[in-house]
Amino acid sequence: MATTTLTAGYLSLAEAATYLHVPQSTLRGWARTKGVPYHKPGKELLFRAKDLDAWMNRYRKGLHGMALTRMNE
């Protein structure tokens, strides 16, 4: 994976998983099934720390259905 091509302000899957202290496979699954917000400009999933923080706060409060998916900003 070419991390030099990442959009400014975004974390790679590996970086985001480290940020959340979970395995990459867990984060990939959360993005697919639990509404973790991500951006996918090509084949790679990208995440913003502020979106991950907001999602985690909502998820912890039990607002699973209100989580946002595929934020394309």
Side-chain angles (χ1 to χ4, degrees), residues 22-66:
V22 298
Q24 291 181 39
S25 59
T26 298
L27 180 54
R28 194 178 294 111
W30 287 352
R32 187 176 61 249
T33 63
K34 297 195 183 287
V36 171
Y38 65 91
H39 179 68
K40 189 173 180 183
K43 292 183 178 183
E44 187 172 9
L45 297 179
L46 302 177
F47 305 86
R48 291 190 301 192
K50 69 177 187 172
D51 294 337
L52 294 174
D53 291 339
W55 181 85
M56 286 298 288
N57 287 335
R58 292 174 118 170
Y59 196 79
R60 286 182 184 140
K61 292 178 183 175
L63 302 174
H64 306 134
M66 295 181 67

